Amino acid sequence: MNTNVTSNKAVNSWIAEMVELVKPSNIVLIDGSEAQAEQLRKEACSTGELIKLNEEKLPGCYLHRTAINDVARVENRTFICTRNKEDAGNINNWMDPQECYAKLSKLYDGSYKGRTMYVIPYSMSVVGSDFAKYGIELTDSIYVVLNMLIMTRVGLDVLEALGDSADFIKGLHARADIDEENRYICHFPEDNTIWSVNSGYGGNVLLGKKCFALRIASYLGRKEGWMAEHMLILGIENPEGEVKYICAAFPSACGKTNLAMLIPPEVYKKKGYKTWCVGDDIAWLRVGKDGRLWAVNPENGFFGVAPGTNENSNPNALHTAMRDAIFTNVCHNLDDNTVWWEGLDSNPPKNARNWKGEMWDYTKYDKADKVNTSGAHPNSRFTAKAINCPCLSDKFNDPAGVPISAIVFGGRRAKTAPLVYQSFNWQHGAFIGSIMASETTAAAAGAVGVVRRDPMAMRPFVGYDMGDYWAHWLNMGKLAANAPKIFHVNWFRTDDEGHFIWPGFGDNMRVLMWILARCDGTVGATETAIGYVPNPDDINIEGLDIDKATLTELLSVDKELWLEDCRGIKEFYAQVGERTPKEYYDELAALEARLSK
Ligand code: GTP
Ligand code: SPV
Ligand code: MN
């Protein structure tokens, strides 16, 4: 078999080595052409891997079902394999690299027999730009190829830009037996290598996304003085045509895609405000000559949560996903060959297959057992092209990125965290990021709704020691003379019956407007123990079904709850271990002192 698929010696010899291991029956280089993609779609449809959907209603769209045991990222099977265990830190799972290569080699051995190896050359960020980083993913899955074609920039121009350099991320994926017990998502940051085996699901196998653009990139960013973060990037244009950008880090399934594509509420729309999406999941941030942080979105598409997406909550996402998209694990409406998910509309299909492929009876839906009774899996997704997004920023392909005015942290907290507050300064802001907590969601395997610490929304995605990562945040604040202001939001505060108090979605812009006004220094705030909190009059609630008393409640800080939280933070810092920077302990002590006053 000819393994010289490129003119780059490093690429060829690595492919030859991997071919020897997985033993495919042939090799196909993915060239990025529409003709090749179309041929692969046809092939996937002929084997049942994809289902072609109604061409009139959903042009260019396909449905895919993963194995029932393979529907989310698997954090307990995700490893950072550094030579020294300490460099992976206490929060990550660690395996010795040699031991891991040996263990996984057994699983890979011959796993491509009778199958094709697809070689995907891809770029994170604009091909040829200063920010771009290249990867090659080897996979035996057409689904992976077609998703990577949407999510990243794929093609021969990537190989051209790489030239004869060996500076690329080597990704090997094999579906093998989709065996849960032998599923591994392993990262070798010191070798620029990612090995993924026994999964066919999203974040586990689209290696450009979480594996490269967060875990490996965060490691590179620390070495090279930049940041890779689990953040959306949103532009807000005022009536004068001036655009300000914010980055926001929320844990998985906590509202990034929704905020990134929000539509301004009527009060702002009529004044001429507009919003622009630069990214919905990942931001790479560097210090510009002006001392500001500049962000690019290294991806080229969206891998968005389907359930809850509808014409009211996120029409931009819905329209983005209505063409050229791949739906994973949603409900299949057999009457018109379209798709459906919980929260799309109140009209579930009567003749449909659920995400498992079984005939589905919508009357049996039970909120307490969504996985088994819903039409779409709670973590079902659409893979859609960025260029199909109606509110895509004209800076999306600008290699320089966009200058960031504010960084916003947030999570799902039923109590404790107020609607919004501002940090006193960068160090305090980094501290606020480090103490983030959120209820777990269906985006990762395991229990849903349990509060856990998720610093900077990066707990599952930091490719090295968490304490070192926190230190890197402090360093970046020093490098950036005009660093963004840092805020924290919580859209998920609930009343005693468990209902969300804040309307959320598009109305979140009301909070962002306060944030931008704080950045401009045009609005006041009340100094509290946890940071600056808005005066209730300064959040615009015109046109909302919320009174000032409710808003005041949303902005309240319960000192007892916070003091209790401080105990949890201390435990978490101890768990992160000795590399937790002293500055974070100082901030924690100062917070406790202010709360106890
Ligand atoms: P990942 O792709 O996993 O990183 O998720 P994400 O952070 O992009 O989350 P997404 O925007 O897809 O939202 C996930 C879920 O949260 C969806 O079911 C939304 O309907 C819900 N959601 C998003 N924004 C809000 C909000 O402002 N309020 C409430 N109550 N729910 C929201
Ligand atoms: C997340 O879980 O944060 C996602 C989906 O964005 S995945 O690509 O599966 O990681
Ligand atoms: Mn995400």
Side-chain angles (χ1 to χ4, degrees), residues 210 230 250-259 280-281 303-305 307-309 381 412 443 491-492 500 502-505 508:
K210 294 304 174 18
H230 194 198
F250 308 155
S252 300
C254 288
K256 287 183 301 301
T257 303
N258 276 272
L259 195 68
D280 83 323
D281 198 48
F303 186 59
V305 176
T309 306
R381 302 236 168 200
R412 277 177 195 264
W491 317 135
F492 298 94
F500 295 122
W502 178 248
F505 302 99
N508 292 335

PDB file of all heavy atoms in Angstrom, residues 210 230 250-259 280-281 303-305 307-309 381 412 443 491-492 500 502-505 508, ligand 1:
ATOM      1  N   LYS A 210     -12.287  19.661  21.045  1.00  0.00           N
ATOM      2  CA  LYS A 210     -11.857  19.736  22.448  1.00  0.00           C
ATOM      3  C   LYS A 210     -10.419  19.218  22.608  1.00  0.00           C
ATOM      4  O   LYS A 210      -9.631  19.763  23.367  1.00  0.00           O
ATOM      5  CB  LYS A 210     -12.828  18.968  23.342  1.00  0.00           C
ATOM      6  CG  LYS A 210     -14.229  19.588  23.386  1.00  0.00           C
ATOM      7  CD  LYS A 210     -14.154  20.991  23.804  1.00  0.00           C
ATOM      8  CE  LYS A 210     -15.354  21.881  23.817  1.00  0.00           C
ATOM      9  NZ  LYS A 210     -16.690  21.510  23.805  1.00  0.00           N
ATOM     10  N   HIS A 230     -12.578  27.842  26.618  1.00  0.00           N
ATOM     11  CA  HIS A 230     -13.909  27.320  26.271  1.00  0.00           C
ATOM     12  C   HIS A 230     -14.895  28.498  26.261  1.00  0.00           C
ATOM     13  O   HIS A 230     -15.732  28.624  27.155  1.00  0.00           O
ATOM     14  CB  HIS A 230     -14.304  26.273  27.316  1.00  0.00           C
ATOM     15  CG  HIS A 230     -15.477  25.416  26.943  1.00  0.00           C
ATOM     16  ND1 HIS A 230     -16.195  24.692  27.864  1.00  0.00           N
ATOM     17  CD2 HIS A 230     -16.056  25.144  25.749  1.00  0.00           C
ATOM     18  CE1 HIS A 230     -17.165  24.015  27.273  1.00  0.00           C
ATOM     19  NE2 HIS A 230     -17.111  24.279  25.982  1.00  0.00           N
ATOM     20  N   PHE A 250     -18.834  29.467  29.579  1.00  0.00           N
ATOM     21  CA  PHE A 250     -19.834  28.720  30.347  1.00  0.00           C
ATOM     22  C   PHE A 250     -19.541  27.237  30.134  1.00  0.00           C
ATOM     23  O   PHE A 250     -19.171  26.840  29.025  1.00  0.00           O
ATOM     24  CB  PHE A 250     -21.269  28.986  29.849  1.00  0.00           C
ATOM     25  CG  PHE A 250     -21.672  30.434  29.724  1.00  0.00           C
ATOM     26  CD1 PHE A 250     -22.681  30.800  28.828  1.00  0.00           C
ATOM     27  CD2 PHE A 250     -21.078  31.424  30.491  1.00  0.00           C
ATOM     28  CE1 PHE A 250     -23.082  32.127  28.702  1.00  0.00           C
ATOM     29  CE2 PHE A 250     -21.476  32.755  30.367  1.00  0.00           C
ATOM     30  CZ  PHE A 250     -22.477  33.110  29.468  1.00  0.00           C
ATOM     31  N   PRO A 251     -19.778  26.410  31.141  1.00  0.00           N
ATOM     32  CA  PRO A 251     -19.560  24.973  30.951  1.00  0.00           C
ATOM     33  C   PRO A 251     -20.437  24.404  29.828  1.00  0.00           C
ATOM     34  O   PRO A 251     -21.354  25.073  29.345  1.00  0.00           O
ATOM     35  CB  PRO A 251     -19.965  24.373  32.304  1.00  0.00           C
ATOM     36  CG  PRO A 251     -19.795  25.492  33.275  1.00  0.00           C
ATOM     37  CD  PRO A 251     -20.168  26.729  32.529  1.00  0.00           C
ATOM     38  N   SER A 252     -20.157  23.175  29.446  1.00  0.00           N
ATOM     39  CA  SER A 252     -20.893  22.521  28.366  1.00  0.00           C
ATOM     40  C   SER A 252     -22.396  22.551  28.637  1.00  0.00           C
ATOM     41  O   SER A 252     -22.835  22.305  29.763  1.00  0.00           O
ATOM     42  CB  SER A 252     -20.435  21.071  28.249  1.00  0.00           C
ATOM     43  OG  SER A 252     -19.051  21.045  27.976  1.00  0.00           O
ATOM     44  N   ALA A 253     -23.146  22.854  27.573  1.00  0.00           N
ATOM     45  CA  ALA A 253     -24.617  22.907  27.643  1.00  0.00           C
ATOM     46  C   ALA A 253     -25.117  23.910  28.673  1.00  0.00           C
ATOM     47  O   ALA A 253     -26.115  23.679  29.357  1.00  0.00           O
ATOM     48  CB  ALA A 253     -25.206  21.519  27.882  1.00  0.00           C
ATOM     49  N   CYS A 254     -24.413  25.036  28.792  1.00  0.00           N
ATOM     50  CA  CYS A 254     -24.835  26.096  29.713  1.00  0.00           C
ATOM     51  C   CYS A 254     -25.083  27.419  28.995  1.00  0.00           C
ATOM     52  O   CYS A 254     -25.116  28.477  29.626  1.00  0.00           O
ATOM     53  CB  CYS A 254     -23.824  26.280  30.827  1.00  0.00           C
ATOM     54  SG  CYS A 254     -23.846  24.904  31.997  1.00  0.00           S
ATOM     55  N   GLY A 255     -25.208  27.395  27.668  1.00  0.00           N
ATOM     56  CA  GLY A 255     -25.703  28.592  26.998  1.00  0.00           C
ATOM     57  C   GLY A 255     -24.745  29.362  26.105  1.00  0.00           C
ATOM     58  O   GLY A 255     -25.056  30.479  25.697  1.00  0.00           O
ATOM     59  N   LYS A 256     -23.588  28.786  25.724  1.00  0.00           N
ATOM     60  CA  LYS A 256     -22.674  29.542  24.861  1.00  0.00           C
ATOM     61  C   LYS A 256     -23.260  29.773  23.474  1.00  0.00           C
ATOM     62  O   LYS A 256     -23.260  30.898  22.973  1.00  0.00           O
ATOM     63  CB  LYS A 256     -21.316  28.823  24.743  1.00  0.00           C
ATOM     64  CG  LYS A 256     -20.465  28.898  26.001  1.00  0.00           C
ATOM     65  CD  LYS A 256     -19.100  28.238  25.826  1.00  0.00           C
ATOM     66  CE  LYS A 256     -19.207  26.784  25.463  1.00  0.00           C
ATOM     67  NZ  LYS A 256     -19.931  25.950  26.433  1.00  0.00           N
ATOM     68  N   THR A 257     -23.733  28.696  22.837  1.00  0.00           N
ATOM     69  CA  THR A 257     -24.266  28.853  21.477  1.00  0.00           C
ATOM     70  C   THR A 257     -25.428  29.847  21.479  1.00  0.00           C
ATOM     71  O   THR A 257     -25.554  30.697  20.596  1.00  0.00           O
ATOM     72  CB  THR A 257     -24.717  27.496  20.911  1.00  0.00           C
ATOM     73  OG1 THR A 257     -23.607  26.597  20.949  1.00  0.00           O
ATOM     74  CG2 THR A 257     -25.202  27.626  19.481  1.00  0.00           C
ATOM     75  N   ASN A 258     -26.259  29.741  22.505  1.00  0.00           N
ATOM     76  CA  ASN A 258     -27.402  30.647  22.595  1.00  0.00           C
ATOM     77  C   ASN A 258     -26.966  32.098  22.733  1.00  0.00           C
ATOM     78  O   ASN A 258     -27.505  32.973  22.055  1.00  0.00           O
ATOM     79  CB  ASN A 258     -28.298  30.242  23.774  1.00  0.00           C
ATOM     80  CG  ASN A 258     -29.262  29.148  23.362  1.00  0.00           C
ATOM     81  OD1 ASN A 258     -30.344  29.432  22.866  1.00  0.00           O
ATOM     82  ND2 ASN A 258     -28.859  27.902  23.518  1.00  0.00           N
ATOM     83  N   LEU A 259     -26.011  32.365  23.594  1.00  0.00           N
ATOM     84  CA  LEU A 259     -25.574  33.755  23.778  1.00  0.00           C
ATOM     85  C   LEU A 259     -24.843  34.256  22.537  1.00  0.00           C
ATOM     86  O   LEU A 259     -24.994  35.410  22.135  1.00  0.00           O
ATOM     87  CB  LEU A 259     -24.684  33.876  25.019  1.00  0.00           C
ATOM     88  CG  LEU A 259     -24.474  35.318  25.506  1.00  0.00           C
ATOM     89  CD1 LEU A 259     -25.783  35.877  26.060  1.00  0.00           C
ATOM     90  CD2 LEU A 259     -23.386  35.401  26.560  1.00  0.00           C
ATOM     91  N   ASP A 280     -18.835  30.111  18.977  1.00  0.00           N
ATOM     92  CA  ASP A 280     -19.804  29.666  19.982  1.00  0.00           C
ATOM     93  C   ASP A 280     -19.223  28.685  20.994  1.00  0.00           C
ATOM     94  O   ASP A 280     -19.951  28.229  21.874  1.00  0.00           O
ATOM     95  CB  ASP A 280     -21.025  29.032  19.304  1.00  0.00           C
ATOM     96  CG  ASP A 280     -20.766  27.568  18.943  1.00  0.00           C
ATOM     97  OD1 ASP A 280     -19.616  27.247  18.551  1.00  0.00           O
ATOM     98  OD2 ASP A 280     -21.687  26.751  19.060  1.00  0.00           O
ATOM     99  N   ASP A 281     -17.917  28.354  20.883  1.00  0.00           N
ATOM    100  CA  ASP A 281     -17.421  27.320  21.794  1.00  0.00           C
ATOM    101  C   ASP A 281     -15.968  27.508  22.220  1.00  0.00           C
ATOM    102  O   ASP A 281     -15.628  27.236  23.357  1.00  0.00           O
ATOM    103  CB  ASP A 281     -17.587  25.933  21.143  1.00  0.00           C
ATOM    104  CG  ASP A 281     -17.527  24.787  22.143  1.00  0.00           C
ATOM    105  OD1 ASP A 281     -18.217  24.863  23.177  1.00  0.00           O
ATOM    106  OD2 ASP A 281     -16.788  23.819  21.900  1.00  0.00           O
ATOM    107  N   PHE A 303     -21.063  22.800  16.620  1.00  0.00           N
ATOM    108  CA  PHE A 303     -21.545  21.484  17.040  1.00  0.00           C
ATOM    109  C   PHE A 303     -22.487  21.774  18.205  1.00  0.00           C
ATOM    110  O   PHE A 303     -22.104  21.718  19.362  1.00  0.00           O
ATOM    111  CB  PHE A 303     -20.360  20.603  17.438  1.00  0.00           C
ATOM    112  CG  PHE A 303     -20.720  19.171  17.748  1.00  0.00           C
ATOM    113  CD1 PHE A 303     -21.335  18.368  16.800  1.00  0.00           C
ATOM    114  CD2 PHE A 303     -20.423  18.620  18.986  1.00  0.00           C
ATOM    115  CE1 PHE A 303     -21.661  17.038  17.092  1.00  0.00           C
ATOM    116  CE2 PHE A 303     -20.736  17.302  19.279  1.00  0.00           C
ATOM    117  CZ  PHE A 303     -21.357  16.505  18.332  1.00  0.00           C
ATOM    118  N   GLY A 304     -23.726  22.141  17.859  1.00  0.00           N
ATOM    119  CA  GLY A 304     -24.617  22.732  18.848  1.00  0.00           C
ATOM    120  C   GLY A 304     -25.609  21.747  19.435  1.00  0.00           C
ATOM    121  O   GLY A 304     -26.019  20.781  18.786  1.00  0.00           O
ATOM    122  N   VAL A 305     -26.014  22.016  20.677  1.00  0.00           N
ATOM    123  CA  VAL A 305     -27.041  21.220  21.354  1.00  0.00           C
ATOM    124  C   VAL A 305     -28.373  21.441  20.643  1.00  0.00           C
ATOM    125  O   VAL A 305     -28.795  22.586  20.466  1.00  0.00           O
ATOM    126  CB  VAL A 305     -27.183  21.664  22.824  1.00  0.00           C
ATOM    127  CG1 VAL A 305     -28.315  20.910  23.525  1.00  0.00           C
ATOM    128  CG2 VAL A 305     -25.877  21.501  23.576  1.00  0.00           C
ATOM    129  N   PRO A 307     -31.714  19.975  21.560  1.00  0.00           N
ATOM    130  CA  PRO A 307     -32.892  20.204  22.402  1.00  0.00           C
ATOM    131  C   PRO A 307     -32.931  21.631  22.952  1.00  0.00           C
ATOM    132  O   PRO A 307     -31.912  22.183  23.379  1.00  0.00           O
ATOM    133  CB  PRO A 307     -32.725  19.189  23.533  1.00  0.00           C
ATOM    134  CG  PRO A 307     -31.941  18.087  22.924  1.00  0.00           C
ATOM    135  CD  PRO A 307     -30.983  18.766  21.988  1.00  0.00           C
ATOM    136  N   GLY A 308     -34.109  22.204  22.918  1.00  0.00           N
ATOM    137  CA  GLY A 308     -34.264  23.576  23.412  1.00  0.00           C
ATOM    138  C   GLY A 308     -34.064  24.622  22.328  1.00  0.00           C
ATOM    139  O   GLY A 308     -34.419  25.789  22.512  1.00  0.00           O
ATOM    140  N   THR A 309     -33.482  24.234  21.180  1.00  0.00           N
ATOM    141  CA  THR A 309     -33.274  25.204  20.104  1.00  0.00           C
ATOM    142  C   THR A 309     -34.589  25.374  19.342  1.00  0.00           C
ATOM    143  O   THR A 309     -35.131  24.400  18.814  1.00  0.00           O
ATOM    144  CB  THR A 309     -32.186  24.707  19.132  1.00  0.00           C
ATOM    145  OG1 THR A 309     -31.006  24.403  19.879  1.00  0.00           O
ATOM    146  CG2 THR A 309     -31.866  25.756  18.080  1.00  0.00           C
ATOM    147  N   ARG A 381     -27.211  16.677  18.816  1.00  0.00           N
ATOM    148  CA  ARG A 381     -26.523  17.870  18.308  1.00  0.00           C
ATOM    149  C   ARG A 381     -26.745  18.068  16.814  1.00  0.00           C
ATOM    150  O   ARG A 381     -27.106  17.143  16.095  1.00  0.00           O
ATOM    151  CB  ARG A 381     -25.019  17.722  18.550  1.00  0.00           C
ATOM    152  CG  ARG A 381     -24.665  17.525  20.028  1.00  0.00           C
ATOM    153  CD  ARG A 381     -23.704  18.522  20.526  1.00  0.00           C
ATOM    154  NE  ARG A 381     -23.579  18.514  21.975  1.00  0.00           N
ATOM    155  CZ  ARG A 381     -23.100  19.522  22.678  1.00  0.00           C
ATOM    156  NH1 ARG A 381     -22.694  20.617  22.056  1.00  0.00           N
ATOM    157  NH2 ARG A 381     -23.008  19.469  23.983  1.00  0.00           N
ATOM    158  N   ARG A 412     -24.462  27.211  35.715  1.00  0.00           N
ATOM    159  CA  ARG A 412     -25.819  26.924  36.186  1.00  0.00           C
ATOM    160  C   ARG A 412     -25.779  26.852  37.691  1.00  0.00           C
ATOM    161  O   ARG A 412     -25.262  25.892  38.252  1.00  0.00           O
ATOM    162  CB  ARG A 412     -26.259  25.542  35.675  1.00  0.00           C
ATOM    163  CG  ARG A 412     -26.783  25.508  34.308  1.00  0.00           C
ATOM    164  CD  ARG A 412     -27.112  24.074  33.899  1.00  0.00           C
ATOM    165  NE  ARG A 412     -27.277  24.065  32.464  1.00  0.00           N
ATOM    166  CZ  ARG A 412     -28.453  24.156  31.846  1.00  0.00           C
ATOM    167  NH1 ARG A 412     -29.559  24.177  32.543  1.00  0.00           N
ATOM    168  NH2 ARG A 412     -28.524  24.186  30.542  1.00  0.00           N
ATOM    169  N   ALA A 443     -23.933  16.874  28.414  1.00  0.00           N
ATOM    170  CA  ALA A 443     -22.830  16.944  27.454  1.00  0.00           C
ATOM    171  C   ALA A 443     -21.706  15.973  27.793  1.00  0.00           C
ATOM    172  O   ALA A 443     -20.890  15.636  26.953  1.00  0.00           O
ATOM    173  CB  ALA A 443     -22.284  18.367  27.366  1.00  0.00           C
ATOM    174  N   TRP A 491     -27.649  32.830  34.521  1.00  0.00           N
ATOM    175  CA  TRP A 491     -29.011  32.917  33.943  1.00  0.00           C
ATOM    176  C   TRP A 491     -29.954  31.928  34.609  1.00  0.00           C
ATOM    177  O   TRP A 491     -31.119  31.849  34.261  1.00  0.00           O
ATOM    178  CB  TRP A 491     -29.027  32.592  32.445  1.00  0.00           C
ATOM    179  CG  TRP A 491     -27.964  33.145  31.557  1.00  0.00           C
ATOM    180  CD1 TRP A 491     -27.289  32.446  30.592  1.00  0.00           C
ATOM    181  CD2 TRP A 491     -27.480  34.487  31.463  1.00  0.00           C
ATOM    182  NE1 TRP A 491     -26.409  33.267  29.931  1.00  0.00           N
ATOM    183  CE2 TRP A 491     -26.497  34.530  30.456  1.00  0.00           C
ATOM    184  CE3 TRP A 491     -27.754  35.671  32.155  1.00  0.00           C
ATOM    185  CZ2 TRP A 491     -25.798  35.681  30.105  1.00  0.00           C
ATOM    186  CZ3 TRP A 491     -27.055  36.827  31.820  1.00  0.00           C
ATOM    187  CH2 TRP A 491     -26.105  36.821  30.807  1.00  0.00           C
ATOM    188  N   PHE A 492     -29.430  31.099  35.510  1.00  0.00           N
ATOM    189  CA  PHE A 492     -30.167  29.893  35.919  1.00  0.00           C
ATOM    190  C   PHE A 492     -30.650  29.917  37.369  1.00  0.00           C
ATOM    191  O   PHE A 492     -30.890  28.876  37.955  1.00  0.00           O
ATOM    192  CB  PHE A 492     -29.286  28.660  35.667  1.00  0.00           C
ATOM    193  CG  PHE A 492     -28.939  28.461  34.202  1.00  0.00           C
ATOM    194  CD1 PHE A 492     -27.753  28.972  33.671  1.00  0.00           C
ATOM    195  CD2 PHE A 492     -29.802  27.792  33.343  1.00  0.00           C
ATOM    196  CE1 PHE A 492     -27.428  28.796  32.324  1.00  0.00           C
ATOM    197  CE2 PHE A 492     -29.485  27.614  32.003  1.00  0.00           C
ATOM    198  CZ  PHE A 492     -28.292  28.117  31.483  1.00  0.00           C
ATOM    199  N   PHE A 500     -36.908  28.878  36.412  1.00  0.00           N
ATOM    200  CA  PHE A 500     -35.915  29.927  36.173  1.00  0.00           C
ATOM    201  C   PHE A 500     -36.572  31.294  36.384  1.00  0.00           C
ATOM    202  O   PHE A 500     -37.671  31.552  35.887  1.00  0.00           O
ATOM    203  CB  PHE A 500     -35.371  29.839  34.753  1.00  0.00           C
ATOM    204  CG  PHE A 500     -34.598  28.573  34.501  1.00  0.00           C
ATOM    205  CD1 PHE A 500     -34.976  27.690  33.490  1.00  0.00           C
ATOM    206  CD2 PHE A 500     -33.495  28.248  35.287  1.00  0.00           C
ATOM    207  CE1 PHE A 500     -34.273  26.512  33.268  1.00  0.00           C
ATOM    208  CE2 PHE A 500     -32.788  27.064  35.069  1.00  0.00           C
ATOM    209  CZ  PHE A 500     -33.176  26.200  34.058  1.00  0.00           C
ATOM    210  N   TRP A 502     -34.983  34.398  35.735  1.00  0.00           N
ATOM    211  CA  TRP A 502     -34.577  35.312  34.652  1.00  0.00           C
ATOM    212  C   TRP A 502     -35.023  34.724  33.298  1.00  0.00           C
ATOM    213  O   TRP A 502     -34.844  33.522  33.068  1.00  0.00           O
ATOM    214  CB  TRP A 502     -33.055  35.493  34.697  1.00  0.00           C
ATOM    215  CG  TRP A 502     -32.512  36.364  33.610  1.00  0.00           C
ATOM    216  CD1 TRP A 502     -31.731  35.979  32.565  1.00  0.00           C
ATOM    217  CD2 TRP A 502     -32.706  37.776  33.459  1.00  0.00           C
ATOM    218  NE1 TRP A 502     -31.420  37.049  31.771  1.00  0.00           N
ATOM    219  CE2 TRP A 502     -32.007  38.179  32.297  1.00  0.00           C
ATOM    220  CE3 TRP A 502     -33.407  38.756  34.193  1.00  0.00           C
ATOM    221  CZ2 TRP A 502     -31.972  39.502  31.848  1.00  0.00           C
ATOM    222  CZ3 TRP A 502     -33.371  40.069  33.739  1.00  0.00           C
ATOM    223  CH2 TRP A 502     -32.667  40.428  32.586  1.00  0.00           C
ATOM    224  N   PRO A 503     -35.610  35.526  32.411  1.00  0.00           N
ATOM    225  CA  PRO A 503     -36.107  34.972  31.146  1.00  0.00           C
ATOM    226  C   PRO A 503     -35.009  34.396  30.239  1.00  0.00           C
ATOM    227  O   PRO A 503     -35.273  33.474  29.462  1.00  0.00           O
ATOM    228  CB  PRO A 503     -36.797  36.163  30.473  1.00  0.00           C
ATOM    229  CG  PRO A 503     -36.274  37.382  31.167  1.00  0.00           C
ATOM    230  CD  PRO A 503     -35.935  36.966  32.554  1.00  0.00           C
ATOM    231  N   GLY A 504     -33.809  34.926  30.342  1.00  0.00           N
ATOM    232  CA  GLY A 504     -32.688  34.334  29.608  1.00  0.00           C
ATOM    233  C   GLY A 504     -32.721  34.593  28.106  1.00  0.00           C
ATOM    234  O   GLY A 504     -33.399  35.491  27.616  1.00  0.00           O
ATOM    235  N   PHE A 505     -31.948  33.801  27.364  1.00  0.00           N
ATOM    236  CA  PHE A 505     -31.864  33.852  25.897  1.00  0.00           C
ATOM    237  C   PHE A 505     -31.637  35.301  25.423  1.00  0.00           C
ATOM    238  O   PHE A 505     -30.752  35.961  25.944  1.00  0.00           O
ATOM    239  CB  PHE A 505     -33.083  33.169  25.287  1.00  0.00           C
ATOM    240  CG  PHE A 505     -33.192  31.730  25.744  1.00  0.00           C
ATOM    241  CD1 PHE A 505     -34.054  31.366  26.782  1.00  0.00           C
ATOM    242  CD2 PHE A 505     -32.386  30.746  25.187  1.00  0.00           C
ATOM    243  CE1 PHE A 505     -34.114  30.037  27.239  1.00  0.00           C
ATOM    244  CE2 PHE A 505     -32.452  29.418  25.627  1.00  0.00           C
ATOM    245  CZ  PHE A 505     -33.314  29.076  26.649  1.00  0.00           C
ATOM    246  N   ASN A 508     -30.785  38.141  27.692  1.00  0.00           N
ATOM    247  CA  ASN A 508     -29.471  38.234  28.337  1.00  0.00           C
ATOM    248  C   ASN A 508     -28.702  39.453  27.852  1.00  0.00           C
ATOM    249  O   ASN A 508     -27.776  39.920  28.502  1.00  0.00           O
ATOM    250  CB  ASN A 508     -28.659  36.956  28.075  1.00  0.00           C
ATOM    251  CG  ASN A 508     -29.259  35.756  28.794  1.00  0.00           C
ATOM    252  OD1 ASN A 508     -29.944  35.905  29.811  1.00  0.00           O
ATOM    253  ND2 ASN A 508     -29.028  34.566  28.268  1.00  0.00           N
TER     254      ASN A 508
HETATM  255  P1  GTP B   1     -21.734  23.105  24.492  1.00  0.00           P
HETATM  256  O1  GTP B   1     -21.922  23.025  23.033  1.00  0.00           O
HETATM  257  O2  GTP B   1     -21.959  21.782  25.180  1.00  0.00           O
HETATM  258  O3  GTP B   1     -20.445  23.694  24.899  1.00  0.00           O
HETATM  259  O4  GTP B   1     -22.988  23.963  25.100  1.00  0.00           O
HETATM  260  P2  GTP B   1     -23.338  25.532  25.083  1.00  0.00           P
HETATM  261  O5  GTP B   1     -22.654  26.193  26.240  1.00  0.00           O
HETATM  262  O6  GTP B   1     -23.123  26.109  23.749  1.00  0.00           O
HETATM  263  O7  GTP B   1     -24.902  25.501  25.459  1.00  0.00           O
HETATM  264  P3  GTP B   1     -26.194  25.892  24.575  1.00  0.00           P
HETATM  265  O8  GTP B   1     -26.201  27.333  24.173  1.00  0.00           O
HETATM  266  O9  GTP B   1     -26.325  24.899  23.502  1.00  0.00           O
HETATM  267  O10 GTP B   1     -27.357  25.687  25.649  1.00  0.00           O
HETATM  268  C1  GTP B   1     -27.579  24.464  26.281  1.00  0.00           C
HETATM  269  C2  GTP B   1     -28.920  24.427  26.933  1.00  0.00           C
HETATM  270  O11 GTP B   1     -29.116  25.545  27.804  1.00  0.00           O
HETATM  271  C3  GTP B   1     -30.069  24.476  25.916  1.00  0.00           C
HETATM  272  O12 GTP B   1     -31.030  23.520  26.260  1.00  0.00           O
HETATM  273  C4  GTP B   1     -30.632  25.866  26.071  1.00  0.00           C
HETATM  274  O13 GTP B   1     -31.995  25.896  25.784  1.00  0.00           O
HETATM  275  C5  GTP B   1     -30.328  26.226  27.521  1.00  0.00           C
HETATM  276  N1  GTP B   1     -30.105  27.692  27.673  1.00  0.00           N
HETATM  277  C6  GTP B   1     -29.263  28.448  26.953  1.00  0.00           C
HETATM  278  N2  GTP B   1     -29.330  29.753  27.318  1.00  0.00           N
HETATM  279  C7  GTP B   1     -30.243  29.812  28.311  1.00  0.00           C
HETATM  280  C8  GTP B   1     -30.750  30.881  29.115  1.00  0.00           C
HETATM  281  O14 GTP B   1     -30.373  32.049  28.984  1.00  0.00           O
HETATM  282  N3  GTP B   1     -31.675  30.550  30.060  1.00  0.00           N
HETATM  283  C9  GTP B   1     -32.101  29.266  30.246  1.00  0.00           C
HETATM  284  N4  GTP B   1     -32.999  29.043  31.189  1.00  0.00           N
HETATM  285  N5  GTP B   1     -31.653  28.228  29.491  1.00  0.00           N
HETATM  286  C10 GTP B   1     -30.726  28.491  28.550  1.00  0.00           C
END
